[in-house]
Amino acid sequence: MPEKLLKITVEGETAVEVPPGTTVGGALESVSGKLAGRSLAASVDGVLRDLSYALAGDASITPYDASTPQGLDVMRHSASHVMADAVLQLFPGAKLAIGPAIEDGFYYDIDAPRAFTLEDLPAIEQKMQEIIKADLPFVRREMPRSGARAEMENAGEIYKVQNIDAAEGDVISFYRHGGFEDVCRGPHVPSTGRIGPVKLLSVAGAYWRGDARNRQLQRIYGTCFPDKKQLKQHLLRLEEAKKRDHRILGRQLDLFSIQPDIGAGLVLWHPAGGTVRHEVEEFWLQEHLKRDYRRLYTPHIASERIYHKSGHLENYADMMYSPMDIDGEPYRVKPMNCPAHIMIYKSGIHSYRDLPLRYCELGTVYRYEPSGTLHGMLRVRGFTQDDSHIFCTREQIRSEVFGILDLIDVMMNTFGYRYSAFLATRPEKSLGTDEEWDYSTDALRNALEDRGLDYEVDEGGGVFYAPKIDIKLTDSLGRGWQGPTIQVDLNLPKRFDVTYRASDNTDTETVIIHRTVLGSMERFVGGLVEHYGGAFPLWLAPEQVRVAAITDDQAQYVRDACAVLRNAGIRAAADLRNEKLGFKVREWQMAKVPCLAVAGPREAAENLLNLRVRNEEKAPVAGPVQLDKLVQTVLNQVESRSLWPAEVDLRQA
RNA sequence: GCCAUCCUAGCUCAACCGGUAGAGCAGCUGAUUUGUAAUCAGCAGGUUGGGGGUUCGAGUCCCCCGGAUGGCUCCA
């Protein structure tokens, strides 16, 4: 008797009928051989499956090939299995831990008999090619949890046992290709031959489960793309990112340095970097003053008493520097600005009529960061936060957060960052009552919605004392950066007994909103260097206009022109060197100065400058210009803080 | 802090298996007075990150310390 056929909908449109037990691949085959041929995996009623998955009922399937994020992910995961296989063949006795696909590639953590070095990678890669070329099918095997666990335990696969314990469901799956088998949820590509070109990139130590108390494993990073061209493009992108590395540009453009004799993680801002920072700070201050923030300065050291009171000493002692003895009392270098701001608030009595009170400070703090985590300006031990604390009533949280979001929008747009918002809610370990958390989380949510800002909810992602809004930035290379954060503090107001006199004459707890827009000057400026690739917009450029003479005869003319520019507040420098123009142009280009104004005999005779700008197409003026016209143009761009002449269109979402 | 790799002139890099440190750029001096991405020549520049060891001999091999890089952990 004929079996009842299954109704299979493919990609939501084409429908086919197939007998029960037909594989996903088979069903696709009956739609189109081409479709089946390029698919790597498919979602069946929303669950990602192998093409070898046998269909048991009516289903809706969406196939994924290597051009889709899902397909690519599966392919990279399969590549990580192949890498593990290769490693086991070359290094018998290694134990496998875990090997997922990640953004842009994959890795595998391996407990190896010896540490891997970069020199080991070519051999592993070679072996991988062989396995891929052999086109071995991936075969799925399922076992009940207990059996799978016993099997791995017998095999001495201690990490796999733990993986099984952490896995969900009663059935544990294994994937085999050739002589290699691994506990794995899958899915995988049909066979190793379907894996695109692979490239192993780096080795690193990585703790099992990311916990420093656990054994350190060997991690190998690799990547894999659908075709050679895309792999090559990716490797080129990595090169490009390397060229924009703020540490390299920082040296080339003489922006900053970090020197062992000063100390690791302590930044020396050179004149050029200092200028960029100053411009950012000026802008920051202007925007804050416009919004009725009050500027504060607080000391760099303080008695330990304040940090006992704030709880920092109890919770963060290992990131604070050792105490110093001052008149027999222990003092500490400041790790955070909040206690000092609170003490300023508490120096007097506040009426509800005073609130909100918005304090801000570019406050320099010092924190001990483990040596291995230091990274150029992005991760340092001394940094200046753009810190602010808003003291307000509960009712004002919503409108204050709204205002902060506005400030963030203005500032991030000015720098040309796109951004997205995340609402981080109450974590498991936390202080405060449900009522407090609900109220403040709702206030944050409402403010986001008032602004019509899309956001994702980061469930349980808040700090133990506060729900928060995190803003993530996307730079010109499409990379993500931690951006502004807004937190409603449910802890410090209690610890410090921060109150205001309410209209009914009772002392009521003041709400403290912590927020930072830039993060730290070090990190932010470091990020800007990479964002702009060192080619700063005019308003930020350390040197804005370079005026070059063709021969000595124009020296005085050039000096005079520079003086005019400087008097107008423009950062101008003269290039009077005894060199050919081509040489000066080249150096000007490499220094990434926005404008070059050339003066030869012709210009000098007619009181002109021949202007060349870094991004010619977008230049408001170019060629011969009057000096006052040049001054006006530059000042307009500076005043509007335009991104000109940035090389990329940064503002478009 | 942990694992791996690395540290040679101001910068970027050379120096075979251990045989006594070299180039380009930058700098200085001179010539050249130059029209939109490198004019030519000369000179100077180093206790090879610091310290110790092995060796007849160490930039090279070993140990300790410092720093950097890629990660882990953490995070502004």
Side-chain angles (χ1 to χ4, degrees), chain A residues 283-554:
Chain A
F283 171 49
W284 177 90
L285 185 62
Q286 279 181 26
E287 291 302 318
H288 281 70
L289 296 181
K290 271 187 207 168
R291 290 169 171 77
D292 199 26
Y293 278 77
R294 317 293 167 86
R295 178 180 4 175
L296 309 178
Y297 295 96
T298 63
H300 288 72
I301 62 170
S303 163
E304 255 191 25
R305 277 177 285 157
I306 195 76
Y307 299 116
H308 273 123
K309 201 162 185 182
S310 69
H312 287 117
L313 221 40
E314 281 68 34
N315 293 308
Y316 301 108
D318 52 349
M319 65 181 301
M320 291 172 66
Y321 289 102
S322 313
M324 58 193 109
D325 183 293
I326 296 182
D327 292 342
E329 191 181 341
Y331 276 61
R332 295 279 190 153
V333 174
K334 174 169 73 169
M336 282 184 161
N337 301 306
C338 351
H341 290 193
I342 291 173
M343 294 316 281
I344 290 172
Y345 176 89
K346 278 176 66 78
S347 67
I349 280 191
H350 296 281
S351 152
Y352 71 97
R353 296 176 206 272
D354 302 333
L355 305 183
L357 211 44
R358 308 186 186 105
Y359 289 164
C360 67
E361 179 184 14
L362 291 167
T364 305
V365 297
Y366 292 86
R367 297 182 189 171
Y368 172 74
E369 297 288 345
S371 62
T373 66
L374 301 176
H375 180 88
M377 292 181 111
L378 303 183
R379 189 101 194 124
V380 295
R381 284 177 172 164
F383 53 96
T384 301
Q385 290 182 306
D386 75 301
D387 212 351
S388 166
H389 296 92
I390 296 175
F391 296 80
C392 64
T393 67
R394 275 169 66 125
E395 293 69 33
Q396 289 167 334
I397 298 176
R398 183 170 174 169
S399 61
E400 285 308 303
V401 173
F402 183 90
I404 296 167
L405 290 173
D406 184 66
L407 172 65
I408 288 170
D409 189 63
V410 167
M411 295 195 65
M412 293 307 115
N413 275 329
T414 302
F415 291 109
Y417 283 115
R418 285 185 285 132
Y419 63 87
S420 51
F422 295 80
L423 176 63
T425 61
R426 186 174 192 174
E428 277 180 33
K429 250 180 59 187
S430 56
L431 299 170
T433 65
D434 286 349
E435 198 271 336
E436 286 171 325
W437 277 87
D438 289 347
Y439 186 90
S440 46
T441 309
D442 280 345
L444 292 177
R445 182 179 294 119
N446 288 333
L448 284 165
E449 277 162 12
D450 290 348
R451 277 203 67 83
L453 206 56
D454 285 335
Y455 63 93
E456 282 177 47
V457 176
D458 178 5
E459 212 61 65
V463 211
F464 71 91
Y465 60 85
K468 58 175 180 171
I469 292 173
D470 275 326
I471 304 287
K472 296 223 161 48
L473 309 182
T474 306
D475 75 4
S476 60
L477 287 180
R479 297 174 304 177
W481 296 76
Q482 171 62 51
T485 64
I486 306 171
Q487 307 180 350
V488 179
D489 194 321
L490 302 173
N491 177 36
L492 290 180
K494 288 190 178 58
R495 277 189 170 266
F496 280 92
D497 189 27
V498 183
T499 60
Y500 63 92
R501 187 63 52 86
S503 56
D504 62 2
N505 201 31
T506 57
D507 283 332
T508 307
E509 190 172 286
T510 309
V511 171
I512 301 179
I513 302 173
H514 302 255
R515 48 110 285 205
T516 172
V517 178
L518 306 177
S520 78
M521 298 313 299
E522 285 72 11
R523 168 175 286 201
F524 191 76
V525 172
L528 278 184
V529 171
E530 305 206 353
H531 182 47
Y532 298 131
F536 292 102
L538 193 78
W539 72 281
L540 287 172
E543 184 183 340
Q544 294 170 316
V545 181
R546 181 171 294 185
V547 190
I550 299 221
T551 75
D552 288 346
D553 291 342
Q554 295 87 47

